[in-house]
Amino acid sequence: MLTLKNKLRDIRAHPIGSDIIDKLLLRLNVPSRLIDNPIAGRIPLTIIRILTGWLVGPGFFDTLLEVLNSEPEVPISTPVPPDPAWWKEAVFYQIYPLSFAEGGLRGILPKLDYLRELGIDAVWLSPVYDSPGDDNGYDVRDYYAILPKFGAMEDMDALIAGLHARGMKLVMDLVLNHTSDEHMWFQSALNDKGSPYRDFYFFREGSCEGSAPPNNWTSFFGGPAWKYYKDQDVWALHLFSKKQMDLNWSCPALREELYKMARWWLNKGVDGFRLDVVNLISKPPEMPDGSPFIGSLTGSVGAEHYFHGPRLHEYIEELRSEAFDPYRAFSVGETPGIGLQMGRMFSDAYRRQLDLVFLFDHLETPGHIRFDDYRYKLTYLKRFYMRHLNADLGHGWNALFFNTHDTPRMISKIDPEGKYGEPLAKLLALLQLTLRGTPFLYQGDEAGMQNQVFTSIDQIQDVESLGLYAELIKTMPPEDAFRRILAGTRDHARTPLDWHEIERQHGSSDSVWRFYQDLIALRRSSPAWIYGTLEFLRPKDKNLLCYRRGPTAEDTASAEDTASAEDTFYVEANLTPRNGRSHAPAIARLLLSNYTGASRTLRPYEARIYSLYPISKGPRP
C-alpha cells in the first residue's frame, strides 16, 4: 500500500505510477532525466505535495494514491519467448464502412479479392450496427441489427463467409462503454424509474439543489459530461456525445446482456473484437469531482477517476471468460490514457484479459495534443520505439499503426506541404511491417492518402470537432477556432477512398500500393520479421533509425542449418527531409527501398531493407 511516506522512485516502480509520470513528462515536454535520477528518486511524496500543492490543487495526491493502490500487481519482467498466435503473424486492415466503398456491406464484398491480393489476413470492421449516426455508428441503437444504409444481416453473413473463404478473419468493433440514447434499454430506463434497465446507466440527482450537474466531469466532446432531462428531473452521464450514454458496468444484469450479445456475434462466425475505449468502463460509485489541474493537461476533467477504474481488470477478466474464451476469440482494446506498463497488465497472456492493446503516445510529439497545429518530427518516433518495442520481453505484444478513423493522416502531420508524400508513405509502411508487433493498416494507407482540404466549419461532420469548435468560439475568433479544428479533426481520415487512384497505383510497379504488397510478402517470407530478435543500432544518432532483425535463440539452436535460422536483416531509415549517410554493412544486400535508383547517401526520408549473411557462418555459397 503506497502512502505519502513513499518516495518518487516507489511511484516510478509502480505500473500505473510509471505511466502517469510518463504521460506528464510527455504532455509537459520535460526530459525524463529530471525524474529518473537518484536525487529525485529519494524525494518523499510529502515534500512533493508541499512544493506542488499550489499548482495541482487539493485532493490531487489522495486521488493519485487511490488510483495507484487499485493495482497491487507489477508486470512480470523475466524474459520469455513469445507464444505463437495467428494474430501476431497477421496483417490487419481497418475498414470504415461509411467511406470505404459505396453500398455499405455490399460495397465491401467485391473488394475482398483486392484485400487478399494486397496480403491482408484480417479485417477490422468499424461499427455497422443500427445507430442514429451521431458518432458514426459508435452510438449503438441495437447491437443485434445492421443499420439499413449498410445493408441487412444477410449481407453481414455474406461478408463473414466471404472473408473465411479467402482465408481471412473478421474482427468487429464492439462498443461496450456506452449506447445511443435511442437504445431500448436507455429509453425504458429514462422513462420508468422501476425499469429493469434503470441500473444499466448512471442516473443521478444534480448538485446545488439539482440545478447543476452531479459533478464537474467534462465530456471528451466538449461541455459537461451530464445531460439534464427536465421532464424526469434527472441527470445522465455521457463521457462522449450527448447521445452516447455511459453504461453502468457495476450492474451484473448489464454485464450479462453484453456477454450474451458478444456470444451471439461469435456464434455467427466473427473471429474477435476491437473493444472501443474499453479501459473507461469502470467508474467509482462515489463519482467524485475531478482535478481541474489534471483536466487542463488531459482536456477532460474527471478522467483520473475512470481511465483505470476500481474494477476494470475484474470486468475485463470476466468478459474474456464469459464471452471470448469459449470461442477462442481475439481481442484488442482501445485504451486511451494507458501507457506501456499498464498496457502490459492488460495484454500479458498469463493475466487472461486482452490479447493486445492500442497505445497512442507515438501519435503526438512531446508537448503536443491532436488539435495542436504543428509539424510532427519523426526523430521522436525513434525514441518511442527504442523504449517500447523491446520492453515486453515476451510479456505482451505491440500494435503497430499510424492511422485510424480517429486521427488525421500521419503523412500530413509530418509533411503538411505534401512535398515528400510518396517517400513518407513508403517509409511508414516499411517501419510498420518490419518492426516487432502486429501491423494495423487503415484504409487508404496503401495509397498514401493525406489529409482532406476543408475550407469551412460547415464541411465538418465529426461530432467531436463540432463540440470542440462550439467551446473554442466562446474564447477566440471563429477563424482561429477553425484552424485548431483543422489540425485534429477526425474527418481527415473519414473521406472516401479514391478507388480510381488505387486502381492506378495497382497498375504501377513502384507505387505505394505495390510497396505495401512487397513488404507484406517480405514479412511473410521469414519468421525473423515476426518472432525474431530486434536490436536497435546507432542509438545516439537521432536522425537515423537503424535496427537488425534476426532469428530467435530457439530458432538458431533448433534449426541451425535452415534458411530461417540464418535470416538476418538490417533496416535503416532517414528520419529527416535532408540527405543522410548510410551505415549499411559492406556484406549487406539491398532488398527494398522507398526510392528508385542507386544513391550513396540516404535521400530525404529514405528507408532501406538489407539482407545480411550470418556473421558466425560466413558468406552463403
Side-chain angles (χ1 to χ4, degrees), residues 465-479:
S465 298
L466 293 174
L468 178 59
Y469 180 80
E471 292 294 315
L472 290 174
I473 59 175
K474 295 176 182 178
T475 58
M476 65 174 64
E479 58 270 21

Side-chain angles (χ1 to χ4, degrees), residues 7-8 49 74 101 106 125 175-176 197 204-205 242 251 257 284 303 335 348 359 372 436 485 493 515 525 538 576 583:
K7 297 177 172 57
L8 184 58
R49 183 173 66 169
V74 297
R106 293 178 184 175
L125 181 66
V175 188
L176 300 178
Y197 303 112
R204 297 288 188 273
E205 294 181 355
K242 293 179 180 179
C251 174
E257 284 289 341
T335 51
D348 203 337
L359 303 179
D372 288 341
R436 182 163 55 206
I485 293 304
F515 197 73
S525 70
R538 306 187 64 82
T576 75
H583 294 273

